[in-house]
Amino acid sequence: MPTATDITTLATTPTFSATRLPPSAPEVEEILLGAVFLDSMALDVCLEVGLRSNHFSVAANRLIFEGFCALGAVDRAIDSVTVARWAQDRGVLVDIGGEHRLKELEFVCPSADIARDYAQIVFDKARSRSMIEFGDRIVKLGHDESTPIDDRYGTAQTLLADAMESGGKRRAVTLADIGADYSKEFEDALQRQRNDSFVSTGHPSLDRLLKGGLARGKVAVLCGRPSMGKSLVAVSIAKNIARDGLPVLYFSLEMTGRDIFERMIASEAQIPADRLRQPWTLSENMRMGARAAKDQLSSLPMFVYDDPLLSMTAIRARARRAVMQLGQIGAIFIDHVGIMKEVKDAEARGKSSDLVSILGAISSDICALGKETQAPIVPLFQLSRALEARNDKRPIPADLRGSGRIEENADNILGVYRPRAYDPEASPADIEIIGMKGRTTGTGIAEMLVDLPKSSLEEKSDFYGGSRYATDSSQY
């Protein structure tokens, strides 16, 4: 049985040795900084892990990482020269070790591939230090007998909740908080006569189908068989959103930026795209129209990334940078998911199970991108040829390759269908955008008119009196 002396000794012995240093990994921090110097994409990996400048244990390293973030936010090059200039402008060049240390850091990392693992180590060490700090504060609370014990317990619970939140755990949100946000959005929408939680597609029939437009932070899959017109629809929507002054990010893995711009000019000037490639055959009025369209479109805030080897990691990184640089984004388009780097690599391996798993992971990442950027995400998917065997060729969700996860994650699924592709008697101008799934919007069909040579998409309701809508989701 412990004596009074033993109890006193236990109560006054510190939990951690006074000589024990807090967890840190300065050498890992340096190699991680070197990885960013080696490849600036490593910075996006760090941010994706959740790493911030205050997670570095060494003050100089904190400042350097802060410089990385500042340069990355304005899409500047990250190297020893630009970081030194950033530090010099803020009077902290000496604090980070001078230009000599920056040049040394450029050569300490053998490969940027280590970025994710090393960022996780630095992040975990920071969380360990936070845990120790939390423990020290709890110990002090335990010794503070001038405060009622119930109050100290309450403070301890608050400290624990804060520690959990800083470690990546989100607190529960009360209905009062949600209600306050909802009320503000409701009153703002009432005052402005529009709901900024939605982004208009510029096509009234499609907006009606979506019950207001593309929802911010949500995913609207746009899908169809080859040559059905899904890219034409996507570019038309993107152009309309940009025309409203909202920045649009268009990730194109198939068409070049020039191809997209030419389609937009064809639509705007109402000139077939093949004629635009032979300007000497155009009338003077057509040439003037093409020039006017070019000038007008050049002023739109639409950013095209036409890299055929884009991966989901690269897309998230570039979107994150765009948000930091531009602020709120109008919409993000990915055209199309079926030829992304991860999918091509899986197809090369010839394993269908890998392909389904990868498509599912990509769809989850797309959802995460929507929540992170609070922009509508419009990924384009190519449908499987299985629908060719059916009498009714209109698409259904099961026609999506790896449809389980994609169908589950998408908030809306829109299928593009042109009757003329299968019926020679049908009008070549008819196109249907079929709402195959809508979490809050229901399903239905927006009937529109398309002019393929001119890449033009118009409202059929203007000519034929309206769109038809289904209310039973089992129809499609």
Side-chain angles (χ1 to χ4, degrees), residues 250-324:
Y250 201 102
F251 294 94
S252 177
L253 292 92
E254 195 166 36
M255 294 188 294
T256 65
R258 188 184 183 283
D259 292 336
I260 292 171
F261 192 65
E262 187 175 71
R263 284 191 176 200
M264 293 168 70
I265 290 177
S267 172
E268 201 72 13
Q270 287 296 287
I271 301 171
D274 60 343
R275 296 288 305 278
L276 287 172
R277 299 179 198 120
Q278 303 175 50
W280 60 89
T281 68
L282 301 177
S283 68
E284 181 59 29
N285 283 342
M286 294 172 80
R287 288 196 292 269
M288 289 177 61
R291 293 186 186 109
K294 184 269 295 181
D295 292 341
Q296 185 182 53
L297 292 168
S298 297
S299 67
L300 299 183
M302 182 169 166
F303 303 84
V304 179
Y305 303 81
D306 59 355
D307 184 349
L309 297 177
L310 278 170
S311 65
M312 196 60 224
T313 299
I315 288 173
R316 290 185 69 177
R318 293 179 184 184
R320 190 182 295 113
R321 285 190 180 185
V323 171
M324 293 171 68

Side-chain angles (χ1 to χ4, degrees), residues 353-430:
S353 58
D354 284 357
L355 185 58
V356 171
S357 175
I358 285 169
L359 284 170
I362 289 173
S363 70
S364 297
D365 283 344
I366 288 172
C367 287
L369 178 63
K371 292 177 181 177
E372 182 179 357
T373 61
Q374 279 302 294
I377 313 295
V378 185
L380 278 64
F381 282 82
Q382 186 167 296
L383 298 177
S384 73
R385 60 174 61 91
L387 67 77
E388 307 284 352
R390 297 197 304 264
N391 290 329
D392 186 352
K393 303 297 193 292
R394 286 180 175 83
I396 59 176
D399 295 326
L400 285 162
R401 289 197 300 173
S403 63
R405 290 274 295 280
I406 298 168
E407 184 178 355
E408 176 186 341
N409 290 333
D411 296 277
N412 294 93
I413 301 179
L414 304 171
V416 180
Y417 173 72
R418 286 191 302 111
R420 179 61 177 259
Y422 301 102
D423 180 4
E425 301 298 321
S427 169
D430 285 348

